[in-house]
Amino acid sequence: MSDVRHVLVLPDRDAAREAAETLGERFGLDEEPQLVRDALAGEDDAEDAQWLVVLRDERERLDPAELDAFAGEWDGWREEP
């Protein structure tokens, strides 16, 4: 079993929460994605933070291009490993 992870970068907490909920429905995930606040370097203001949605894909069944398109629905993208 591999430890493949996908990271979706989203512009704010609301987008990250909504995307995380929708991910499970659309892709049939085995476990809930993890939400992580990613403050930009040198910034303490929550307005200057991106949110990451981290999901494990041990069976490597998720298509990176589909995940990138999915993140784009919330003005985000999939981070390349």
Side-chain angles (χ1 to χ4, degrees), residues 6-24:
H6 299 281
V7 178
L8 307 182
V9 181
L10 298 166
D12 58 51
R13 180 179 15 194
D14 291 339
R17 284 185 178 163
E18 187 176 341
E21 290 173 12
T22 305
L23 270 167

Side-chain angles (χ1 to χ4, degrees), residues 38-56:
D38 185 34
L40 300 176
E43 298 293 335
D44 293 329
D45 188 357
E47 295 297 319
D48 294 323
Q50 295 172 327
W51 282 79
L52 309 178
V53 178
V54 181
L55 53 146
R56 291 173 41 154

Side-chain angles (χ1 to χ4, degrees), residues 3 6 28 33 39 41 46 60 69 73 77:
D3 188 28
H6 299 281
E60 298 184 48
E73 295 174 23
W77 65 91

Side-chain angles (χ1 to χ4, degrees), residues 30-69:
D30 294 331
E31 64 182 66
E32 278 191 45
Q34 179 183 7
L35 298 180
V36 179
R37 181 179 178 268
D38 185 34
L40 300 176
E43 298 293 335
D44 293 329
D45 188 357
E47 295 297 319
D48 294 323
Q50 295 172 327
W51 282 79
L52 309 178
V53 178
V54 181
L55 53 146
R56 291 173 41 154
D57 184 20
E58 293 176 350
R59 293 184 279 168
E60 298 184 48
R61 62 182 185 84
L62 299 173
D63 179 5
E66 285 184 36
L67 290 173
D68 194 39

